[in-house]
Amino acid sequence: MSDNYSGTSGKGLAHFSSSEQWTVYNTDNSHLPNNDILSLYKDIDNSLWVGTYNGLAHLTFPQPRLANLSGKRAVLLIHPEPIRGHNTHTIGEKISGSIYNSLLNRYYRNDEIYFLAYKPDIDINQDYHADKNAVDAPVTFLQKSQGATPRAITKADIRQAFSWAQNQGVLNQPLLVVIVGHGMNDGNILLNPATNETLSGAELGVMLNDYQQATQNQAIVILESAYSGALLPALQGQNRVIVSSTTTDQAVQYDPNLLGRDAFSSQYFHALRRGGNFHSAFYEAKRNYTQTPQLDDDGDGMITSRDEQGRVTAQLCLNGCFTPKASQGVYRNGDTIRVTLPPLPVDKDQYVGIALPDGSIFVLSDFNAFSSLGTSLPLWQGGDVMLEVPVNAGLPRGTYPLFLLRVPYGVNPLENPELWELNVGSLVVG
C-alpha cells in the first residue's frame, strides 16, 4: 500500500502511511498557513504543494532512514536565556539550532532529544520559520500559541529533564547533555537574567550523579559558555566525559556577524556530524577556535596528558561509529583478513577503501573488487562484507587504514566534500 494524502475542510492535511498509520498535519504542527485544504500536488522529490485558503505551502517529508543505527539513545539540549547584548540571543539560538540539526543528521529522532529552551519558537533549520515541535519545555510552541507565557528555565526544569532521561532507561549510547548558555565569572551558568538565578557545577553534578546511579549509563557533558572550564572539578565522576568550550578564566568571543558559526560547539558538532569521534572532532574544532576548549576524557575533573590520548572519547561517535570492522585486531600468517561494513542508511551512498602500510590507497566497488585510487570514486555496490584476504609472507606488514565515506544519495562526493561523513578504522598485519 502506498502513502496517501487527503485535504480536509478545517482539519488540515491527513496522511495515511504504507504502514496503515494516520497522521494529521495542521497549523499547530507544520508550516501550513491554514487548515482548509483546497488542492494538493506531489512533485518528483516526494514533497507536497498544498493550496489553502491562506496561500500556498510547500511541505517536505523525511525520506525513509535506517534510524536505529545504534540502539537506544537520548539527548538533553539546554539553552537558558542569556543576558542582553549585541546579538547574544540570536547567537545562542543559532548555536542551539546547529547542534539540533547535527543530531537530526546523525539520525537522532525528535522524541530522543529533550530540548529545554527559554524561547518556544526557535528556528532550528534556519528556514525563517519557528520549528513547532523542537522545544519540549518549559513552554512549547503549541502552549505559547494557546496563550501560555514563555519564561526562563529553572533548576526544577533541568531536574525534570534529567527525570525524562532517566525514564528512557538503559541506553546503547551515552546520554548527551549539552548546555548553551551564559557563563558567569565563577563558571556558573545563568538561568534567569531578571533574577540572576544560576546553575552551579555542584548542582549539575548532583543531577548527573543521581541519573547515572539510577541508570548506570555513560554520560557526555558539553558546555558552551564562558568560564566553563571552572565547572570541570565539580562535574567529575566515573563513566563520564566533560567538554568545556573555555578554560576557567576565558570569556567567549563570538564574532557577532557570524551568528554562532564560530562557536566551539557549532564546529564540534559539525565535525561529529561528519563522522568524527568525540576525540578527533574535539581537536578538529579546537584548531579553528580562538579560545582553549577543555576535554576531560576520563571524568576525573582534571586535564592531563591522559585526556589527550582519548582512551574513552576515541571510541565514541555521535549515534555510534560506522567504522569498517576487522574480524580481529592483528593478523598473522595463516589468518584470513575479513572486514565487514555497518548497516547503511537508505538515504546515503557509500564508498569504501583501504590503504597499504606504504600509503597506497585502493578503493572497492564490491567484495574484494580492488582498484587503485584515481580521479573518480566507484560507488560501493556490495553487501556487508568488504573483503576477505588470506595472510601470507608476501603481504606487507604494518597498519592498514580502512575508509568508509558516506554522502547523501545521488551526490558526487568529489564535488561536495562539505557533505562527507567519514569514519576511519584500521587493522594490523604482523
Side-chain angles (χ1 to χ4, degrees):
M1 182 181 294
S2 62
D3 288 0
N4 290 285
Y5 295 91
S6 300
T8 73
S9 177
K11 299 294 185 180
L13 176 69
H15 173 225
F16 189 65
S17 72
S18 57
S19 60
E20 301 186 10
Q21 299 292 318
W22 282 101
T23 303
V24 175
Y25 299 96
N26 53 41
T27 55
D28 290 332
N29 63 9
S30 73
H31 290 157
L32 282 176
N34 187 276
N35 287 328
D36 290 309
I37 309 301
L38 302 177
S39 59
L40 298 173
Y41 174 75
K42 191 174 184 180
D43 62 24
I44 60 174
D45 295 322
N46 202 40
S47 59
L48 201 65
W49 295 87
V50 185
T52 78
Y53 269 117
N54 199 26
L56 184 66
H58 184 213
L59 302 183
T60 57
F61 302 92
Q63 298 301 306
R65 294 181 170 191
L66 179 60
N68 198 22
L69 292 181
S70 64
K72 201 170 186 182
R73 59 261 163 151
V75 178
L76 301 182
L77 177 55
I78 303 172
H79 177 39
E81 183 177 2
I83 61 171
R84 294 203 172 272
H86 186 41
N87 278 349
T88 54
H89 285 67
T90 302
I91 288 171
E93 291 175 28
K94 296 293 186 183
I95 297 171
S96 300
S98 173
I99 293 170
Y100 202 109
N101 264 324
S102 293
L103 293 168
L104 295 178
N105 278 302
R106 288 296 301 138
Y107 304 102
Y108 281 84
R109 300 191 310 269
N110 177 270
D111 62 352
E112 296 171 327
I113 306 170
Y114 190 97
F115 190 12
L116 182 60
Y118 74 98
K119 185 177 179 182
D121 49 0
I122 290 179
D123 174 16
I124 294 298
N125 57 8
Q126 299 181 27
D127 63 353
Y128 303 102
H129 292 280
D131 288 274
K132 301 180 180 181
N133 297 314
V135 175
D136 297 287
V139 177
T140 67
F141 181 94
L142 179 59
Q143 290 168 338
K144 180 187 176 185
S145 68
Q146 295 173 340
T149 302
R151 63 171 177 81
I153 293 171
T154 66
K155 295 172 191 176
D157 294 325
I158 299 174
R159 284 191 288 269
Q160 179 59 39
F162 274 97
S163 177
W164 171 88
Q166 184 174 325
N167 289 336
Q168 307 311 299
V170 177
L171 305 177
N172 299 98
Q173 293 293 313
L175 173 70
L176 194 56
V177 181
V178 186
I179 301 180
V180 179
H182 178 84
M184 311 298 283
N185 290 340
D186 56 3
N188 290 351
I189 297 167
L190 181 66
L191 298 181
N192 189 337
T195 65
N196 290 322
E197 180 183 6
T198 62
L199 176 70
S200 70
E203 291 166 328
L204 180 58
V206 169
M207 298 180 198
L208 282 166
N209 290 339
D210 291 344
Y211 168 80
Q212 289 189 282
Q213 288 172 7
T215 64
Q216 301 303 307
N217 289 328
Q218 193 173 15
I220 299 176
V221 181
I222 300 173
L223 306 170
E224 176 65 48
S225 60
Y227 314 108
S228 51
L231 301 184
L232 265 63
L235 297 180
Q236 64 177 300
Q238 293 184 347
N239 208 21
R240 191 178 300 173
V241 171
I242 312 296
V243 179
S244 68
S245 64
T246 57
T247 60
T248 299
D249 56 357
Q250 282 183 330
V252 292
Q253 299 176 4
Y254 304 131
D255 183 335
N257 297 313
L258 294 178
L259 298 177
R261 292 191 299 273
D262 57 340
F264 169 75
S265 291
S266 296
Q267 298 181 44
Y268 192 24
F269 274 86
H270 178 70
L272 290 168
R273 181 198 64 78
R274 289 167 57 90
N277 59 56
F278 277 91
H279 184 256
S280 64
F282 174 85
Y283 284 98
E284 179 179 336
K286 183 178 180 179
R287 284 196 300 270
N288 302 316
Y289 189 54
T290 55
Q291 277 81 53
T292 308
Q294 307 287 294
L295 171 62
D296 180 7
D297 182 82
D298 53 13
D300 64 357
M302 299 182 292
I303 305 301
T304 67
S305 59
R306 291 179 303 178
D307 297 302
E308 297 178 2
Q309 299 169 13
R311 180 181 59 85
V312 176
T313 47
Q315 309 304 316
L316 299 171
C317 303
L318 194 60
N319 196 16
C321 299
F322 53 93
T323 310
K325 186 176 182 180
S327 56
Q328 59 195 66
V330 180
Y331 295 89
R332 305 193 185 279
N333 281 346
D335 294 336
T336 296
I337 298 173
R338 188 174 194 269
V339 179
T340 56
L341 300 173
L344 175 68
V346 296
D347 60 347
K348 299 288 185 182
D349 284 335
Q350 68 181 355
Y351 301 80
V352 300
I354 184 171
L356 303 187
D358 65 2
S360 303
I361 298 178
F362 292 85
V363 291
L364 295 88
S365 59
D366 208 332
F367 172 69
N368 277 5
F370 297 89
S371 61
S372 298
L373 179 64
T375 56
S376 63
L377 288 178
L379 178 67
W380 174 256
Q381 304 283 0
D384 60 355
V385 181
M386 174 178 164
L387 60 87
E388 286 184 353
V389 178
V391 179
N392 55 41
L395 197 65
R397 268 46 185 171
T399 299
Y400 289 70
L402 304 166
F403 305 99
L404 175 53
L405 171 65
R406 290 175 173 171
V407 294
Y409 180 78
V411 166
N412 184 328
L414 298 181
E415 295 177 357
N416 299 274
E418 72 280 0
L419 298 178
W420 285 15
E421 296 176 6
L422 178 66
N423 257 202
V424 181
S426 66
L427 61 86
V428 176
V429 176

